[in-house]
Amino acid sequence: MKSLRRALRMSLKYRWSLAVSIVFSFFVALFWGANLGAVYPFIEVVLHNKSLHEWADDRIAQSTQEIADRNLELEKCRNARLTADDQDSRAAIESTIFALTTGISQQEKKIEQTNKLKPWIQAYAPADPFATLKLVVLFMILGTFARGVFLAGNMYLVARVSQRTILDMQNQIFQNVLQMEMSEIGVKGTGDLINRIRGETMAIGGAIRTLYGQTIREPMKMGACLMGAAWVNWRLLLFSMIVCPVAMAIMFALARQAKKASRRAMEDSAHLLNRLYQALMYLRIVKSNNMQPYEAGRFQLIGRDVYRKAMRIALYNALSRTNNELLSVLVIGLSVLAGGYLVLNQQTHLFGIRMSPMPMDFGQIVLFFAFLIGAVDPLRKLGDVYTELQGGIVAADRVFPIIDQIPLVAEPVNPISLSPSPRSIEFRSVWYSYETGLPVLRDVSFDVPAGSSLAIIGQNGCGKSTLINLLPRFFDPESGQISINGQDLKQLSLKGIREDIGYVTQTTMLFGDSIAANISYGSPCATPVEIETAAKRAHAHSFISQLGEGYESQIGEHGNKLSGGQRQRLSLARAILKNPRILILDEATSQIDSESEHLILDTMREFMKGRTTLIVTHRMATLELVDRILVMAEGRVVDCGTHEELLSRCSVYRRLRNLALEVAA
């Protein structure tokens, strides 16, 4: 509930819309009660073939006669009290006197109320019974129209507040996810994060819409009806409501169970989305290994769990609805029995308890039933509201930890800015683990002088990619220090570090956009000429110019309309256009054919001049570009030196070189 309160505080940003929606809710409730109140003139006036003028005169005459009759009885009781012999007789007479006095007072009030209405009736009410019926019907139509206008306005404004709050929340979550350490995203799962950003914020929005809509509007409608019923007979109303506490307790118990089920359902839904995302992302692998039945079976298995949780929630909702329906019938049934007894027998007491100061007439009891039925409908809707709110509470409990999460890789309070000089890099005793107790990097130390180049080689899993991912601070080392120009990375501006780095990976990362947009990603101010120049240097211009729309051609999701080599060249063009001081190439030529590789290596050789460059590679041809080579094994630095130095002294390097030559042959 605490998390949902935070969401409500966020929604108060749109307090004017909320204020107007609450005013609209008040008028919805007012016209709801007024329409039900129209039952009384219909029963008491029209069905007795009277006009309102005749009804007012008859009402005054009946009350005057009732007062006269009661005064006669009152005089008799007072005389009898003087001659009463015992205490019990006097007490009974006193009770009768009190009832008569109260009845006279009620009739006097009725006369007073009717006299206040008479000038309005004489001025505006028709004198014909059928014309009166038309007036009642017109009042109901106009009241329903007005209620509909205010209801539409209320629902629109509440939806606006809900949708704007959802948008604000989604923006906050996405901004925070973008600041997360890469390993955190891997742990949570892309599908889970997408589900929280989209699905669970929508659940919170639904709860906000319910709270500001039905939770305000329906109690107002119910309150208007209950006040009307209490005005008719408040004692009978209290008697009719005696079953409410038990029904409300059952509703709360069912809602608590629904909340637990909702939490488990959301967790399973996130798991299902993760599975779906991975299967579609790696669909080629799934198909090439004939794993479609396996993936379909696993999806169905998780889907069945989600289905069972959803059906459990549906069961609780159904039971809650049944409970509310039963409550409604019990309340109305009790009022019908009690009210029917009082009217049919013209009684004022029930089980020895006074229900009214004077017997109720047919019009009063019908009006009471109308107001009670009008109160039951909002009560039934509120039962559904409570269950829906539980889903919003669960969603808020899962969303706000993401909003509150402090990124492990954070911008320093007072970042140091570096001069626009070439960058030197230094690693000192760096350790890193994805899982506790299983280090991927072990006491790694090396340096790369400004403007020089270093190749990092080693068998798969030795920590090469992890090592270079520490430099842009995708995550921070557990211990040790990484420096640029002698300054600790953690003291430098995070934005400045990444502006200095051009990063090309083996797995090409392209967006479902145009070629020009992908090349200029990270360089939004680049001109078309600069984009084309970068593409030419990456040997991508030739195939781009052959496409129907050239640089404006759409490349599809992940660039799937292009070959692997073409995608790799676009990634290189992006790095060239950025013109970084530090260049990181992680198997950047792995998907390029031999002819293109030769051309690109010439471009890279020229482009690397004056830039500090780190290259992860298995290709011997790429090693010719670098000044030194770093050899890694099992997360450690084995040796570092030139090609000739390593050949003479490093057995690991010789073995890796021989393996690479065998593969190339």
Side-chain angles (χ1 to χ4, degrees):
M1 190 63 187
K2 183 178 179 182
S3 296
L4 186 58
R5 284 198 295 268
R6 286 187 58 188
L8 294 178
R9 284 197 295 271
M10 290 179 65
S11 69
L12 292 178
K13 177 180 177 182
Y14 309 103
R15 58 177 62 89
W16 286 110
S17 293
L18 287 174
V20 175
S21 73
I22 292 172
V23 172
F24 283 3
S25 291
F26 170 79
F27 282 107
V28 169
L30 182 66
F31 284 107
W32 175 263
N35 274 6
L36 294 171
V39 169
Y40 186 74
F42 179 75
I43 297 293
E44 283 293 295
V45 180
V46 177
L47 291 187
H48 287 84
N49 197 26
K50 295 179 183 178
S51 66
L52 283 172
H53 300 267
E54 294 169 333
W55 169 80
D57 293 337
D58 289 349
R59 183 180 171 91
I60 291 173
Q62 289 173 1
S63 294
T64 302
Q65 183 62 46
E66 187 71 25
I67 290 171
D69 293 342
R70 287 176 181 264
N71 276 326
L72 288 175
E73 292 182 29
L74 184 62
E75 186 64 28
K76 291 178 183 179
C77 288
R78 286 171 176 166
N79 293 331
R81 182 176 58 183
L82 296 174
T83 60
D85 297 330
D86 56 85
Q87 186 69 27
D88 291 341
S89 298
R90 282 195 294 273
I93 292 171
E94 289 290 346
S95 177
T96 304
I97 290 173
F98 176 78
L100 290 170
T101 304
T102 303
I104 291 170
S105 177
Q106 292 290 329
Q107 294 298 335
E108 288 173 345
K109 286 182 181 179
K110 191 183 282 189
I111 292 172
E112 183 183 355
Q113 291 170 354
T114 308
N115 282 327
K116 287 181 179 179
L117 288 174
K118 280 194 71 174
W120 295 90
I121 292 173
Q122 290 170 350
Y124 301 107
D128 177 69
F130 185 71
T132 302
L133 175 61
K134 290 190 289 184
L135 180 64
V136 171
V137 173
L138 179 63
F139 173 80
M140 294 178 67
I141 292 172
L142 291 176
T144 301
F145 175 77
R147 179 167 60 88
V149 170
F150 285 114
L151 178 61
N154 169 264
M155 293 177 69
Y156 176 82
L157 290 172
V158 169
R160 178 181 182 273
V161 172
S162 170
Q163 292 299 324
R164 291 297 297 269
T165 305
I166 289 171
L167 183 60
D168 292 343
M169 202 174 300
Q170 289 176 343
N171 287 335
Q172 284 191 30
I173 298 170
F174 188 58
Q175 288 171 11
N176 217 15
V177 167
L178 291 176
Q179 301 302 321
M180 278 185 184
E181 188 178 280
M182 297 297 294
S183 58
E184 293 178 81
I185 295 176
V187 169
K188 287 181 171 63
T190 306
D192 179 78
L193 290 173
I194 291 172
N195 191 52
R196 295 194 198 203
I197 292 171
R198 185 62 183 164
E200 293 175 17
T201 55
M202 295 296 290
I204 297 171
I208 291 173
R209 188 167 56 251
T210 298
L211 276 167
Y212 289 135
Q214 287 179 288
T215 309
I216 292 177
R217 188 173 62 245
E218 299 304 327
M220 282 188 175
K221 288 167 59 180
M222 186 168 63
C225 293
L226 291 178
M227 284 192 291
W231 176 75
V232 176
N233 192 328
W234 64 269
R235 296 180 181 89
L236 183 58
L237 176 64
L238 290 179
F239 179 80
S240 302
M241 304 290 284
I242 59 176
V243 296
C244 287
V246 176
M248 296 298 285
I250 294 172
M251 184 181 72
F252 290 146
L254 289 171
R256 282 194 296 271
Q257 294 301 317
K259 179 181 177 181
K260 294 178 183 177
S262 295
R263 185 181 302 278
R264 291 190 289 267
M266 285 185 182
E267 291 170 354
D268 285 351
S269 294
H271 189 196
L272 183 69
L273 193 57
N274 263 334
R275 189 70 257 156
L276 178 63
Y277 178 81
Q278 291 178 30
L280 294 178
M281 187 75 175
Y282 304 123
L283 190 57
R284 288 186 178 88
I285 299 299
V286 172
K287 288 187 173 184
S288 65
N289 289 283
N290 293 317
M291 293 297 286
Q292 297 97 315
Y294 172 75
E295 289 296 337
R298 185 154 57 168
F299 186 83
Q300 288 175 4
L301 186 64
I302 302 171
R304 277 198 297 270
D305 287 338
V306 174
Y307 165 77
R308 282 194 289 267
K309 302 294 190 309
M311 292 311 299
R312 186 170 297 173
I313 295 171
L315 174 62
Y316 292 139
N317 289 342
L319 291 175
S320 179
R321 172 58 69 91
T322 301
N323 176 69
N324 295 336
E325 295 284 353
L326 183 59
L327 171 62
S328 304
V329 172
L330 287 173
V331 168
I332 294 174
L334 280 174
S335 69
V336 167
L337 289 174
Y341 172 80
L342 294 174
V343 172
L344 294 175
N345 295 287
Q346 285 296 286
Q347 295 292 316
T348 58
H349 288 68
L350 188 67
F351 301 118
I353 302 172
R354 180 177 292 279
M355 288 286 108
S356 63
M358 54 187 297
M360 298 174 67
D361 58 35
F362 182 70
Q364 286 178 308
I365 198 64
V366 170
L367 180 61
F368 180 84
F369 290 157
F371 278 130
L372 206 59
I373 292 170
V376 161
D377 180 66
L379 180 64
R380 185 176 64 251
K381 292 178 180 176
L382 284 174
D384 297 336
V385 162
Y386 191 78
T387 304
E388 185 173 348
L389 289 181
Q390 301 307 309
I393 291 171
V394 172
D397 289 341
R398 283 173 53 80
V399 162
F400 277 99
I402 301 294
I403 293 178
D404 295 337
Q405 184 170 327
I406 299 174
L408 297 177
V409 177
E411 184 80 14
V413 178
N414 297 305
I416 298 172
S417 297
L418 296 176
S419 62
S421 59
R423 303 296 191 232
S424 63
I425 300 170
E426 185 178 7
F427 279 65
R428 286 290 172 264
S429 302
V430 171
W431 290 74
Y432 185 79
S433 302
Y434 292 105
E435 297 181 25
T436 305
L438 297 173
V440 178
L441 297 178
R442 306 165 183 263
D443 195 27
V444 173
S445 297
F446 65 91
D447 61 82
V448 186
S452 67
S453 55
L454 177 74
I456 304 171
I457 66 170
Q459 292 183 333
N460 290 335
C462 70
K464 304 186 298 297
S465 294
T466 300
L467 182 68
I468 61 172
N469 282 330
L470 289 170
L471 192 58
R473 289 195 70 193
F474 293 155
F475 34 81
D476 285 333
E478 293 175 359
S479 62
Q481 186 182 70
I482 304 171
S483 303
I484 294 180
N485 285 6
Q487 298 290 340
D488 189 343
L489 276 187
K490 295 181 181 179
Q491 302 303 317
L492 299 177
S493 165
L494 194 58
K495 181 180 179 182
I497 292 170
R498 292 172 181 172
E499 283 179 346
D500 274 349
I501 295 174
Y503 188 64
V504 184
T505 63
Q506 178 179 7
T507 304
T508 52
M509 299 179 187
L510 300 174
F511 299 91
D513 206 335
S514 68
I515 287 176
N518 273 281
I519 293 176
S520 63
Y521 193 81
S523 305
C525 298
T527 65
V529 173
E530 291 171 334
I531 293 171
E532 184 175 325
T533 301
K536 287 178 178 178
R537 294 180 67 181
H539 296 276
H541 178 73
S542 57
F543 81 80
I544 295 173
S545 59
Q546 293 174 6
L547 299 175
E549 298 181 40
Y551 283 84
E552 295 305 315
S553 299
Q554 297 292 317
I555 62 174
E557 187 178 16
H558 307 299
N560 58 15
K561 292 183 179 180
L562 304 176
S563 68
Q566 290 171 336
R567 292 197 295 268
Q568 198 73 284
R569 291 184 219 178
L570 292 188
S571 295
L572 284 169
R574 180 191 294 164
I576 291 171
L577 180 62
K578 190 175 182 182
N579 195 26
R581 293 184 175 89
I582 298 173
L583 183 62
I584 298 176
L585 304 172
D586 186 1
E587 298 288 359
T589 59
S590 60
Q591 298 184 48
I592 297 176
D593 57 83
S594 300
E595 182 180 352
S596 297
E597 182 182 19
H598 178 72
L599 296 172
I600 289 174
L601 288 177
D602 288 340
T603 298
M604 288 172 58
R605 183 178 290 107
E606 183 65 27
F607 186 64
M608 287 166 55
K609 288 180 180 179
R611 302 178 201 279
T612 307
T613 306
L614 295 176
I615 300 177
V616 174
T617 185
H618 287 95
R619 299 199 179 203
M620 290 297 108
T622 308
L623 296 180
E624 298 174 4
L625 301 176
V626 301
D627 300 318
R628 292 186 304 153
I629 302 167
L630 183 76
V631 183
M632 294 188 66
E634 298 180 353
R636 298 183 185 276
V637 174
V638 176
D639 204 342
C640 185
T642 64
H643 171 68
E644 290 77 13
E645 290 172 344
L646 294 176
L647 273 179
S648 64
R649 72 185 185 212
C650 183
S651 60
V652 176
Y653 178 73
R654 288 195 297 269
R655 185 169 66 253
L656 291 172
R657 180 176 180 275
N658 292 335
L659 288 173
L661 291 173
E662 289 176 9
V663 171

